[in-house]
Amino acid sequence: MLGPGLLKGMAVTLKQFVESYTKKGSIFTIQYPEERREMPEAFRNFPILVYDEDPENPRCVSCDICAKECPPRCITIVRDRDPNGAGLKKPKVFDIDVSVCMSCGICEEVCPFDAIFMDKDFELSAYDRMESLNFHKEKLLRPNSYFHKIRPTDAARIDANLKAKQEKQAPTPPSGTTT
Amino acid sequence: MEKAASALETQMLQVNIGPQHPSTHGVFRMNVTLDGETVVRLKPVMGYLHRNHEKIAEGASYLASMPFTDRLDYICSMTNNLGYAIAVEKLAGIEVPERAEYIRVIMAELTRLVNHTLLVGFLLNDLGAFFTPTLYAFREREKILDLFEAASGARMMCNYMRFGGVKNDFPTGFMEKLKEVIANYPRFLDEFERLLTENEILMGRCQNVGILPRKLAVNASVTGPMLRASGVDYDIRKVDGYSIYPRFKFRVPLGTVGDVYDRYYVRILEMRESVKILEQAVKEMPEGEVLSAKAKTGAKSPRTFRPPKGDAYGRIESPKGELGFYLVSDGTPNPYRYHVRPPSFVNLTILEDMCLGLKVADAIIILGSIDIVLGEVDR
């Protein structure tokens, strides 16, 4: 079945073969653990919880909206309570199951308090698939500076929003309890 | 001597191709009855990848189904998003801002490029040209996936469209990269065609194989490039004129014979038309918002998004054919009924009719030319 079409095709593969050595940018593969791609700012993989100053007081008020809206329902939140049993505006338990999370980013979108954001870290593999893939609050908490580092434009926009919101509110909002 | 051979007692052989066979494009099984090497019966067996997509959607808010639609046809998540968004917009009567419409068309046409490029690559795999054309295709796809990643945050599971627009605007520097990809694509297509279109082996294997007659194609409600390869002029972008497609000048390529070669070539031509649409869209793209203020609140709190009672069927021309979403609303935040009309599932039903009387190797390439993705077939 040799014919001109076949030869033309072979010329194409030969050209590709030669170009892979001579032309810059014609090889798309990279040597992964040593070489890394620079991820675009929008890249999302897994949620983190952001706190401003004190990791004990994250922005999260445990309103449970992200847990309800999460399409695969991978978030578990239990509200913290003070010794008298009144609910506090912070989570006691905040677990996200990595093996269930599908990196859709809906939690970030629906969060009214700008507390949960998508991280870029994608190297989350672990040796067992039960406990080490269920991330607890301690593992999810990140300072705001970390968020600024991974997503500078978004972080700046959100900080400005938060500041505007604070100024709008009464000078000293009553801190603490809800029922 | 010949007489003795025909007097030999022979029997039919049943072969299962799949469910884990590289040529079945996923977990799909072809139960084939063979007379020697000729196919006399072919029974498609599917359902291995069923994940309850439609029922899950009934228990979730409208927005929460959006990332699940990515996983239907995981090669073209952008068009799945678009189809679903259009259905919900029809249901709730939401207007889409001008710029968002352009972004949607750009993303949909890029998806078409991705899908058709990959399909041609994998069709060649099925033909036995192992992985050289596929990797050329993958290389081009990679450039487009980088664009998706920059805009939406994920390469394949984009989750980019929202009801009444798109999630976010293009980031800075995106348009330059987009223009570069569009400008280089025809060059890649030329090269791809030089490699394949006139190749004698490809012509010998594909021409007059798996002919789908016009009438049968229409009766089996086949859609997409498969239908057009059989010579039926039916493209939902033209027929419905959804989104802003009527504004663009493009032609609908048609096949004449309806064989595997036509299906291959129609897709190549369609890619060239997609490049034309992209060029026009990039040129005309206006500035403005990408998600109206009202739609933004809907996306922010999905529980308050309650479309009025009623039903709606939104359909688009996905790269594989007519992708439709049928939604029934009872006024609650969850859809009462959610149904997907997947193009690859409907196109797959015609597989046996095309394969009868041909050899096993032909059945493989016919399946390849249908262009199925099992995530969508089984849902």
Side-chain angles (χ1 to χ4, degrees):
Chain A
M1 274 219 192
L2 190 72
L6 202 63
L7 291 174
K8 252 199 251 171
M10 282 181 171
V12 171
T13 43
L14 184 71
K15 186 173 151 253
Q16 296 283 346
F17 172 70
V18 175
E19 271 185 359
S20 68
Y21 286 97
T22 57
K23 199 174 157 193
K24 224 182 161 191
S26 55
I27 293 182
F28 268 64
T29 45
I30 54 168
Q31 304 297 322
Y32 160 59
E34 292 85 26
E35 268 180 84
R36 272 151 200 277
R37 265 184 70 210
E38 202 188 313
M39 293 301 179
E41 187 170 346
F43 178 74
R44 57 181 145 84
N45 188 47
F46 189 70
I48 50 169
L49 278 175
V50 172
Y51 64 87
D52 282 318
E53 281 118 26
D54 181 12
E56 282 300 305
N57 280 310
R59 282 185 195 167
C60 175
V61 299
S62 73
C63 65
D64 220 27
I65 289 180
C66 55
K68 279 194 189 111
E69 289 306 329
C70 173
R73 313 266 160 92
C74 67
I75 307 178
T76 314
I77 303 174
V78 176
R79 176 171 287 216
D80 201 4
R81 291 188 181 278
D82 67 5
N84 303 328
L88 293 172
K89 272 192 172 179
K90 61 179 185 180
K92 188 179 174 199
V93 177
F94 198 107
D95 291 353
I96 303 182
D97 194 338
V98 188
S99 52
V100 177
C101 174
M102 60 182 191
S103 313
C104 64
I106 295 235
C107 49
E108 173 184 327
E109 262 172 77
V110 298
C111 180
F113 299 95
D114 298 311
I116 188 165
F117 290 104
M118 299 304 278
D119 194 2
K120 290 185 184 178
D121 188 11
F122 51 88
E123 288 152 326
L124 301 166
S125 46
Y127 281 104
D128 82 294
R129 60 182 189 174
M130 301 310 288
E131 202 34 50
S132 32
L133 284 179
N134 193 13
F135 282 20
H136 298 300
K137 193 172 79 179
E138 296 72 37
K139 211 170 171 185
L140 295 167
L141 279 170
R142 296 279 195 296
N144 197 16
S145 55
Y146 175 81
F147 181 49
H148 269 275
K149 207 178 79 196
I150 55 167
R151 285 164 59 182
T153 1
D154 288 340
R157 179 172 51 83
I158 280 154
D159 274 9
N161 278 356
L162 284 176
K163 215 174 160 195
K165 221 186 253 175
Q166 253 174 16
E167 277 164 12
K168 223 176 176 183
Q169 271 176 357
T172 44
S175 62
T177 55
T178 54
T179 44
Chain B
M1 186 69 192
E2 251 177 29
K3 208 174 179 183
S6 61
L8 264 178
E9 216 172 276
T10 58
Q11 64 185 79
M12 302 284 183
L13 182 68
Q14 268 211 19
V15 180
N16 278 315
I17 305 177
Q20 273 142 356
H21 190 271
S23 74
T24 54
H25 297 249
V27 277
F28 170 66
R29 180 153 67 96
M30 288 196 284
N31 188 322
V32 191
T33 309
L34 299 172
D35 179 9
E37 226 188 306
T38 312
V39 178
V40 291
R41 210 173 64 100
L42 188 150
K43 203 174 122 211
V45 185
M46 47 202 124
Y48 293 96
L49 204 63
H50 180 61
R51 9 183 237 295
N52 232 339
H53 174 69
E54 291 176 3
K55 198 69 195 171
I56 288 174
E58 285 169 22
S61 68
Y62 283 87
L63 179 68
S65 294
M66 187 61 90
F68 284 123
T69 61
D70 289 335
R71 286 143 178 93
L72 282 174
D73 175 355
Y74 41 78
I75 293 171
C76 332
S77 62
M78 285 286 188
T79 44
N80 296 342
N81 283 179
L82 177 60
Y84 181 51
I86 281 183
V88 175
E89 277 153 18
K90 229 175 172 179
L91 190 68
I94 303 172
E95 294 280 315
V96 183
E98 190 85 338
R99 186 177 169 85
E101 291 276 25
Y102 276 90
I103 292 180
R104 282 177 173 197
V105 166
I106 287 172
M107 288 309 189
E109 293 309 313
L110 284 175
T111 309
R112 204 176 308 279
L113 292 179
V114 166
N115 181 70
H116 289 356
T117 316
L118 267 199
L119 170 91
V120 172
F122 278 115
L123 179 64
L124 267 288
N125 245 15
D126 292 343
L127 278 166
F130 231 58
F131 274 110
T132 303
T134 315
L135 283 176
Y136 292 170
F138 263 102
R139 197 179 51 192
E140 289 313 304
R141 167 183 182 252
E142 195 60 38
K143 294 174 189 164
I144 297 178
L145 291 191
D146 281 349
L147 290 178
F148 286 173
E149 192 175 33
S152 72
R155 282 153 41 87
M156 287 172 78
M157 303 300 144
C158 300
N159 185 19
Y160 187 52
M161 313 274 175
R162 290 289 173 271
F163 316 128
V166 294
K167 193 169 86 176
N168 50 279
D169 205 340
F170 289 154
T172 43
F174 183 89
M175 285 310 264
E176 288 71 39
K177 278 188 221 152
L178 174 66
K179 278 174 192 161
E180 201 186 309
V181 167
I182 298 171
N184 287 333
Y185 222 83
R187 209 175 306 155
F188 159 71
L189 285 177
D190 289 341
E191 195 175 48
F192 217 37
E193 273 210 72
R194 239 189 348 266
L195 177 68
L196 304 173
T197 303
E198 284 170 32
N199 188 308
E200 282 80 8
I201 300 174
L202 187 121
M203 280 155 78
R205 285 289 307 279
C206 294
Q207 281 178 340
N208 296 317
V209 168
I211 295 177
L212 178 62
R214 211 184 140 106
K215 212 173 161 188
L216 182 63
V218 174
N219 283 344
S221 59
V222 167
T223 46
M226 279 247 316
L227 179 68
R228 292 194 284 276
S230 296
V232 184
D233 186 2
Y234 185 77
D235 187 322
I236 297 167
R237 287 176 291 175
K238 290 273 189 200
V239 176
D240 273 15
Y242 63 91
S243 193
I244 48 163
Y245 276 107
R247 289 184 203 173
F248 302 116
K249 276 203 186 87
F250 65 99
R251 289 179 299 173
V252 179
L254 296 179
T256 45
V257 190
D259 54 4
V260 174
Y261 190 80
D262 270 1
R263 270 169 239 146
Y264 153 75
Y265 203 58
V266 159
R267 284 182 174 112
I268 294 272
L269 293 175
E270 242 177 52
M271 280 195 269
R272 293 192 184 276
E273 297 302 318
S274 285
V275 172
K276 272 189 216 165
I277 298 176
L278 280 169
E279 279 166 355
Q280 294 170 49
V282 167
K283 211 194 287 168
E284 295 166 12
M285 197 159 160
E287 290 296 318
E289 58 181 359
V290 293
L291 193 62
S292 58
K294 196 178 154 221
K296 217 175 250 169
T297 41
K300 192 85 184 157
S301 49
R303 291 283 144 193
T304 60
F305 182 75
R306 294 161 194 234
K309 272 184 193 173
D311 61 340
Y313 179 68
R315 60 177 193 169
I316 60 156
E317 179 75 26
S318 98
K320 293 182 167 64
E322 176 185 335
L323 173 70
F325 286 87
Y326 177 66
L327 297 163
V328 181
S329 164
D330 55 356
T332 58
N334 308 345
Y336 176 74
R337 177 80 173 95
Y338 169 104
H339 173 74
V340 188
R341 186 235 186 253
S344 28
F345 173 69
V346 179
N347 291 357
L348 190 60
T349 52
I350 207 72
L351 181 65
E352 185 180 16
D353 299 73
M354 290 193 283
C355 292
L356 289 186
L358 297 170
K359 304 275 186 271
V360 189
D362 294 332
I364 303 276
I365 60 166
I366 291 167
L367 178 70
S369 74
I370 294 178
D371 191 6
I372 57 163
V373 160
L374 263 292
E376 191 177 60
V377 173
D378 294 338
R379 300 195 294 298

